[in-house]
Amino acid sequence: MTAATLPLDTIADPAPRRPRRWLRGLGWTVAVIVALVAALWFLFTSAAPAVPPMPAPTAEQAGAGRDAVMQLRGEGEAPRAHGIRLGADQLQGMAALASHGFRPARFAVTLRDQAVAVTVSRALPLGRWFNADLVTGGRQTGFPHARLRIGSVTFSPFWTRKLIETARRFALWRGIEVGPLDTLVRGIAVGGGEVAAVVDLPRPPGPIDGAVATRLYCALAAAQRRTPSDDFATHVRRVFSAPKGAETDVVRNRAAFVALAIFLVDDRVAELADAATAGIAACHIAPPTVMIHGRADLPKHWSLSAAIAAASGTQFAQAIGEWKELADSLSPQSSFAIGDPSGFSFVDVSADRAGFRAAGRADEPGEATRLAATTPDQLLPPVLLKQPEGMKKADFVRDYGSITDPRYTAMVAKIDAILNTDTID
């Protein structure tokens, strides 16, 4: 028996199914969120940078910026309220150093009649830019009223202070002691081509383990008391062969570079290590005069650059070394130099680069073992002492232009090539 079949035109189509309401609602929610994010992206970012490309700092900018930083820092180990007075050259110098040290971010500090403006630009994905502009001025008591602009959005002084206060509370949450805003800046006056203020700025804790740095510093001091030595390589071997505690190799290596710089350069290097300043007092010893290849200045360059690189990264250590040499091309009075001759020196640059390259390997296996057996020639190949030095500003500009000039970068590449082949790499 054959089953009966129905004509195709008698089969009705099933009723169309409606999309579920929750799915349609989810689609609208996602669309609204995407639209909101896009709107905020375009509101708070810009199509072009507010700060143009910044050239490398000149010798004058390095010197002026150094003076501004020293004023902001204040005197003594403990910060306290003190007056500062910064002119246009110092403000621009400070911006030039910041742009070079924290590149690719760009900074500008400008005086506008009775106001001062701090502007920051940084490239973002999709061809957009982050631009922020903070403006204040006049004569004010306490933390100044300021107006912040980010992208196309301008915040009133009320909301600007709220945002800055939020940043302060975040720093406190991260363990950084930051006082109330009206304590940080107790007064400001802008006019006559300068900014005058009374500030009490905190010194943030160092990124290096202070207990480990203190232990290694004390080991260096004890070894020097037992067996005095003026050989730089001996002290490098001592600090990297000192007994290890429970810390990781990376923590120990970074602390060792800082301990070496405290020991050889200046107690103030202890600010790179959290809580180390008080710890080293118990075993303190005056920095000894040590030599490498007959030079007493080069161990300071090597160890200080290594300490800064261990704490802040090689880019910042390189920048500080270059700023110091630029400042020296103007005057022997450089806060980055302790006991070395004036003038721009590629020998000093060589020692700087050797130091921060060594610190850049702090997280490599066997780094402490290599340095515990190092020699003077491995720390700084003697051929590098033949590089030009003692150049005044005019000589440096004539022969090498600036620290971004191809002639200068070629010299640095030559130094790095020697370090690549002749050191403990």
Side-chain angles (χ1 to χ4, degrees):
M1 186 174 183
T2 303
T5 59
L6 296 174
L8 293 178
D9 57 358
T10 65
I11 302 176
D13 291 332
R17 300 179 63 183
R18 291 187 175 182
R20 296 181 180 178
R21 288 187 175 181
W22 71 266
L23 189 59
R24 184 168 53 189
L26 177 62
W28 277 108
T29 301
V30 170
V32 169
I33 292 174
V34 169
L36 180 61
V37 169
L40 292 174
W41 173 258
F42 283 99
L43 273 175
F44 285 97
T45 66
S46 307
V51 181
M54 301 292 290
T58 64
E60 290 85 357
Q61 288 174 327
R66 176 201 64 206
D67 180 66
V69 171
M70 297 303 292
Q71 284 196 52
L72 289 168
R73 184 180 184 277
E75 299 294 335
E77 293 185 0
R80 61 180 185 274
H82 61 279
I84 62 171
R85 193 173 292 274
L86 305 176
D89 290 343
Q90 292 160 315
L91 295 172
Q92 292 169 8
M94 190 164 52
L97 296 188
S99 296
H100 185 236
F102 298 103
R103 57 191 184 276
R106 305 172 185 177
F107 297 82
V109 184
T110 54
L111 288 169
R112 307 172 182 171
D113 297 326
Q114 302 297 309
V116 60
V118 180
T119 308
V120 183
S121 294
R122 199 185 195 288
L124 297 174
L126 306 178
R128 302 292 291 179
W129 286 83
F130 171 82
N131 291 319
D133 191 55
L134 184 68
V135 181
T136 189
R139 182 180 295 273
Q140 304 183 49
T141 300
F143 193 87
H145 297 288
R147 194 174 295 274
L148 174 66
R149 180 183 177 90
I150 301 177
S152 302
V153 180
T154 300
F155 296 91
S156 68
F158 174 84
W159 286 110
T160 296
R161 186 180 177 106
K162 288 291 186 183
L163 290 172
I164 297 173
E165 176 63 23
T166 300
R168 187 186 77 87
R169 292 182 180 277
F170 178 76
L172 290 171
W173 177 74
R174 293 291 303 271
I176 302 174
E177 292 297 328
V178 183
L181 295 183
D182 290 328
T183 299
L184 295 178
V185 180
R186 303 190 179 191
I188 187 172
V190 183
E194 66 176 17
V195 177
V198 176
V199 298
D200 187 358
L201 303 180
R203 296 182 187 173
I208 302 298
D209 190 310
V212 178
T214 298
R215 188 184 76 233
L216 294 173
Y217 171 85
C218 290
L220 280 169
Q224 181 69 359
R225 289 189 176 98
R226 288 193 306 269
T227 311
S229 175
D230 64 356
D231 175 55
F232 176 52
T234 295
H235 296 290
V236 175
R237 291 193 296 267
R238 284 175 176 176
V239 74
F240 281 96
S241 60
K244 182 177 178 296
E247 70 276 359
T248 66
D249 289 342
V250 173
V251 170
R252 180 264 175 81
N253 291 345
R254 291 177 179 170
F257 287 117
V258 173
L260 183 66
I262 299 170
F263 177 71
L264 294 178
V265 182
D266 193 279
D267 294 353
R268 288 173 293 179
V269 180
E271 293 177 12
L272 296 173
D274 189 19
T277 303
I280 65 173
C283 56
H284 183 266
I285 187 172
T289 299
V290 302
M291 314 283 281
I292 186 170
H293 306 314
R295 294 274 295 264
D297 59 312
L298 300 181
K300 292 179 170 62
H301 279 274
W302 195 103
S303 55
L304 183 58
S305 291
I308 294 171
S312 306
T314 57
Q315 174 175 296
F316 198 67
Q318 176 180 348
I320 286 182
E322 291 171 336
W323 301 341
K324 178 264 165 194
E325 293 308 319
L326 286 172
D328 273 1
S329 73
L330 286 179
S331 167
Q333 307 303 319
S334 170
S335 61
F336 298 119
I338 300 179
D340 57 339
S342 63
F344 194 102
S345 168
F346 278 107
V347 177
D348 292 351
V349 170
S350 299
D352 291 334
R353 297 189 74 80
F356 73 65
R357 285 161 59 93
R361 298 188 298 270
D363 58 350
E364 292 184 9
E367 173 66 4
T369 302
R370 288 194 295 270
L371 287 169
T374 191
T375 67
D377 289 2
Q378 290 175 324
L379 292 172
L380 186 67
V383 68
L384 290 173
L385 272 70
K386 299 178 182 179
Q387 304 303 313
E389 62 178 338
M391 289 179 287
K392 298 301 182 184
K393 178 196 171 186
D395 300 324
F396 176 78
V397 171
R398 181 193 66 226
D399 295 338
Y400 299 100
S402 72
I403 56 178
T404 57
D405 189 288
R407 293 169 292 174
Y408 176 85
T409 55
M411 279 295 295
V412 171
K414 176 184 174 183
I415 291 169
D416 285 346
I418 295 171
L419 292 173
N420 285 337
T421 57
D422 290 353
T423 65
I424 54 179
D425 284 348

